[in-house]
Amino acid sequence: MKTGRRAFLRNTAWSAAACAAPAIVRAEAKKKYIWANLLQLGCNLWNDHETDPEKPYDNTAADFLRFDEKVWKDLTEHMHDIGMNMLVIDLGEGLVYPSHPELAVKGSWTPERLRAELKRLRAMGLEPIPKLNFSAAHDVWMKEYARMVSTETYHRVIADLVKDVCEIFDRPRFVHIGMDEESEKLQTKFRYGLTRREDVWFTDLNRI
């Protein structure tokens, strides 16, 4: 099904309303508003060149998980202390997806480990929300499937991944699908760059 810009914007008008919520969310309004933070579990999102061992924390693609558990715990505890109530987790290559374990890298979390962390977050009053970025400018974590954008194989893989995270996160209220910043300008350093133009991007977004 092809979806034009006009139809897409009409069908997703609710998202604009959500973005128009008050800019300042106070801790005392915790029950009424979402006060969220986004943290990275996976980091293979910005460049498809392999990581230089001497610069492991740059924006390139590593074959191991770049994750600091102490920083993660410090940040989530601080979120709890100041009254925040939601954590969006950018998963990327940070999870061993049951349907596609080939996307994992060394150190990727198992579903069991992630479930244990989700339990800890919920006990702290933080609602965990999964994020899977399907923008062609942020999909290095998808490995070979990043070069199959808009194909039936690509959409089958996406459906599998969304199903995986919905099960692991126990049917979350929201699933963040990224799709941002898909432009040639932001992929000038990529070895393989791709942008969906005109209605192709809207059609894929609507389908996902």
Side-chain angles (χ1 to χ4, degrees):
M1 179 183 71
K2 186 174 181 179
T3 303
R5 284 188 184 82
R6 196 168 300 219
F8 172 80
L9 293 172
R10 182 178 63 249
N11 292 339
T12 58
W14 59 268
S15 64
C19 291
I24 300 176
V25 181
R26 305 291 185 184
E28 59 266 25
K30 184 176 180 179
K31 292 183 180 179
K32 186 174 181 181
Y33 296 108
I34 288 172
W35 191 12
N37 193 11
L38 184 149
L39 296 179
Q40 305 288 146
L41 180 58
C43 296
N44 287 349
L45 296 156
W46 303 287
N47 194 318
D48 63 358
H49 286 272
E50 289 84 3
T51 298
D52 182 342
E54 296 183 0
K55 301 176 182 178
Y57 294 99
D58 61 11
N59 284 342
T60 52
D63 62 356
F64 60 93
L65 187 65
R66 292 166 288 184
F67 178 82
D68 190 317
E69 190 162 353
K70 183 181 184 304
V71 172
W72 175 275
K73 288 191 173 179
D74 286 347
L75 287 170
T76 53
E77 287 172 6
H78 182 64
M79 289 173 62
H80 164 72
D81 291 343
I82 63 175
M84 298 184 80
N85 56 18
M86 181 180 286
L87 173 61
V88 181
I89 304 174
D90 209 340
L91 296 167
E93 79 287 359
L95 175 64
V96 180
Y97 299 93
S99 63
H100 291 281
E102 69 273 18
L103 298 181
V105 296
K106 288 176 288 202
S108 293
W109 286 19
T110 63
E112 293 72 27
R113 182 178 180 186
L114 180 55
R115 284 192 178 99
E117 178 60 16
L118 299 180
K119 182 177 180 180
R120 184 186 75 89
L121 294 171
R122 291 184 179 114
M124 296 169 65
L126 296 172
E127 179 183 1
I129 299 297
K131 179 182 178 217
L132 295 165
N133 203 328
F134 299 120
S135 165
H138 298 303
D139 63 356
V140 179
W141 64 276
M142 293 184 71
K143 296 184 176 178
E144 63 179 315
Y145 305 113
R147 299 193 176 196
M148 302 182 190
V149 172
S150 297
T151 66
E152 286 304 312
T153 297
Y154 173 81
H155 283 291
R156 282 197 301 272
V157 170
I158 287 177
D160 292 340
L161 298 176
V162 171
K163 183 174 184 289
D164 284 346
V165 299
C166 284
E167 290 177 353
I168 294 169
F169 279 72
D170 298 319
R171 299 182 68 182
R173 280 199 295 162
F174 311 109
V175 176
H176 193 321
I177 62 171
M179 298 291 286
D180 59 317
E181 301 180 333
E182 187 170 307
S183 68
E184 295 176 13
K185 181 179 179 181
L186 292 172
Q187 298 179 67
T188 55
K189 294 184 179 180
F190 280 49
R191 292 177 299 175
Y192 179 90
L194 182 150
T195 57
R196 285 166 281 200
R197 296 181 178 178
E198 300 180 3
D199 286 343
V200 177
W201 184 89
F202 286 93
T203 300
D204 273 10
L205 178 59
N206 190 59
R207 180 169 178 177
I208 296 169

